Amino acid sequence: MEKNQYELCLEVFHRLDRKGILQHTLVIGSWCLFFYRNYFKDEGYRPAVRTRDIDFPLPLPVNFKGKEDIPEILKELGFITGFKGNSGYIILQHPDLLIEFLVPEKGRGSDKPYPIPQLGINAQPLRYLHFLQDNAISLDFEGMKIRVPHPAAYALHKFIIFKRRAKPDKRDRDIEGATRVFRQLLTEEKADSIRIIFGKMHRKWQITVIRNLKSIGENEIAALLQEYIA
Amino acid sequence: MAIKGILREELDNSIKMKADYEKELSKLPVGSLARRNIKGQNYYYLIYRDKGRVKSVYKGKVSEKILHKYSEAKKYRAKYRHLLSRLKKEIRFINGVLRGKEPI
């Protein structure tokens, strides 16, 4: 990672940590692959290429009791507030990092941003997000506790959502990152954690995961997961 | 290829971000306040550039709030200009990489 980007990322986490916000959220997307370096014992683990986006999912209801203004907290670092697409989702922009906030989508779903006034932001509702939030772990990072989805949850989640991606390159990145993490878990004999987390999935989701894996020729992983269903 | 996809995505992000930084810069108050001390009293002039020429407008005594506003504007103007310059370089770089062997 570039020094500038690393230092900025560290400062963002420190600021959110000092305000008590960091403990309410977790890091997802390609950035958690970077933090998995602190989970995997194998020094050969190399995180896949990642973009500048850091996604912070928040649980619903948002149980943050204080009143903070995240865009104002990060303004001093050079972040400006932008809006994504036509829907008006807030995105905090800096040439080194793009920060977005997410909440789990419920019911029929909606395109509308979910307002979180106690943090001065809004968030994009996304399907399947609570699976990541329900299977989070804490990792040490520069004196802080960073919450990320368990690597098994990360991989299984990607195995579901890659089919929903409109852009083929995003789809390919999802598959590449997820299979890399999944194989690393197997290399480090952590198949048990895969079994436990896969077992927590809804039956329909389990079937979707296996079907999706077969569709991309990952029959070995599909067969392993099939054993856990039977 | 995944790396090309990432670059295209980053290019789109940078172009959008560049426009947003320019918009943010345009929102900042123009110029900066210059202080003159006359017989122990502070008086202020607003110094700014208009079509390449430096202009100075007498503002007299100004409140702490206004002073703070201009000092913050100066700080953020420098920051945003620096980041904008980085973004422009980045856009040129990614465009060059994506263009590959195509003629410029």
Side-chain angles (χ1 to χ4, degrees):
Chain A
M1 195 192 315
E2 268 186 52
K3 193 176 166 230
N4 280 348
Q5 193 186 40
Y6 181 84
E7 282 170 3
L8 182 69
C9 174
L10 189 60
E11 186 54 36
V12 167
F13 284 140
H14 272 307
R15 285 180 183 224
L16 297 181
D17 191 36
R18 278 198 294 269
K19 297 286 183 184
I21 300 167
L22 198 60
Q23 70 203 63
H24 290 275
T25 184
L26 56 153
V27 180
I28 64 161
S30 55
W31 271 82
C32 60
L33 297 173
F34 168 74
F35 293 109
Y36 288 156
R37 292 189 318 176
N38 299 3
Y39 176 84
F40 291 123
K41 289 171 197 147
D42 179 9
E43 288 182 1
Y45 168 74
R46 289 276 176 275
V49 183
R50 68 183 170 275
T51 56
R52 283 179 283 196
D53 316 45
I54 295 193
D55 298 325
F56 288 114
L58 290 151
L60 282 183
V62 180
N63 49 11
F64 183 76
K65 295 281 181 269
K67 177 89 180 89
E68 295 293 347
D69 188 341
I70 296 179
E72 202 54 40
I73 294 169
L74 303 181
K75 189 182 171 186
E76 218 182 31
L77 299 173
F79 279 91
I80 55 167
T81 305
F83 297 92
K84 193 177 161 187
N86 298 325
S87 314
Y89 304 122
I90 282 182
I91 176 164
L92 301 178
Q93 308 173 105
H94 185 285
D96 290 323
L97 286 178
L98 296 168
I99 298 175
E100 288 175 63
F101 300 91
L102 309 168
V103 285
E105 190 176 74
K106 287 185 174 174
R108 285 184 174 183
S110 157
D111 274 351
K112 284 184 186 167
Y114 185 90
I116 307 174
Q118 59 269 52
L119 295 173
I121 49 159
N122 67 33
Q124 180 180 2
L126 272 190
R127 193 64 73 186
Y128 303 114
L129 204 62
H130 64 87
F131 176 68
L132 297 178
Q133 292 172 317
D134 293 345
N135 293 290
I137 53 169
S138 277
L139 297 175
D140 292 320
F141 174 64
E142 303 275 1
M144 291 174 283
K145 292 277 182 202
I146 304 285
R147 292 176 69 233
V148 290
H150 188 284
Y154 171 86
L156 293 168
H157 175 258
K158 289 288 185 199
F159 289 149
I160 293 184
I161 64 155
F162 79 82
K163 281 273 185 187
R164 300 166 72 99
R165 294 286 199 192
K167 293 182 182 171
D169 53 280
K170 277 204 169 193
R171 176 182 174 273
D172 293 347
R173 254 159 41 211
D174 279 350
I175 297 168
E176 203 274 332
T179 47
R180 190 184 291 224
V181 166
F182 197 92
R183 293 214 164 89
Q184 190 68 32
L185 285 166
L186 295 179
T187 308
E188 298 195 11
E189 294 172 356
K190 286 174 174 154
D192 255 8
S193 61
I194 299 172
R195 187 179 48 77
I196 293 166
I197 291 172
F198 187 64
K200 287 184 193 173
M201 274 185 149
H202 191 280
R203 174 92 179 174
K204 268 169 87 174
W205 292 18
Q206 291 177 332
I207 293 165
T208 305
V209 167
I210 293 169
R211 193 179 54 230
N212 288 354
L213 282 165
K214 283 180 180 168
S215 77
I216 52 164
E218 289 289 352
N219 295 324
E220 198 186 324
I221 299 177
L224 178 81
L225 293 176
Q226 187 71 56
E227 279 176 32
Y228 296 152
I229 293 186
Chain B
M1 200 195 294
I3 202 86
K4 266 197 166 179
I6 293 176
L7 285 172
R8 272 194 208 102
E9 192 183 325
E10 294 294 17
L11 180 64
D12 291 345
N13 286 336
S14 294
I15 291 169
K16 186 192 173 296
M17 219 188 298
K18 177 177 164 277
D20 286 347
Y21 269 106
E22 282 165 346
K23 197 170 151 193
E24 211 59 37
L25 266 170
S26 71
K27 281 190 217 162
L28 295 173
V30 178
S32 70
L33 290 175
R35 188 178 62 202
R36 302 269 184 280
N37 190 292
I38 302 163
K39 292 179 185 173
Q41 294 286 330
N42 286 331
Y43 299 95
Y44 290 86
Y45 289 81
L46 177 66
I47 315 285
Y48 65 98
R49 276 155 57 107
D50 183 22
K51 292 170 190 162
R53 298 182 70 175
V54 178
K55 294 207 170 177
S56 172
V57 176
Y58 178 68
K59 288 283 177 186
K61 290 179 181 175
V62 299
S63 64
E64 278 298 317
K65 196 179 160 189
I66 301 283
L67 282 176
H68 180 72
K69 182 179 145 188
Y70 275 93
S71 122
E72 285 288 288
K74 193 177 172 184
K75 186 175 92 181
Y76 283 108
R77 193 178 300 118
K79 202 179 285 261
Y80 293 162
R81 278 183 180 159
H82 169 69
L83 295 174
L84 195 55
S85 140
R86 279 186 46 197
L87 276 170
K88 285 177 184 170
K89 280 182 196 161
E90 197 173 277
I91 291 169
R92 272 202 303 273
F93 173 76
I94 302 177
N95 265 326
V97 172
L98 287 174
R99 195 183 293 121
K101 285 180 182 174
E102 287 169 37
I104 297 170

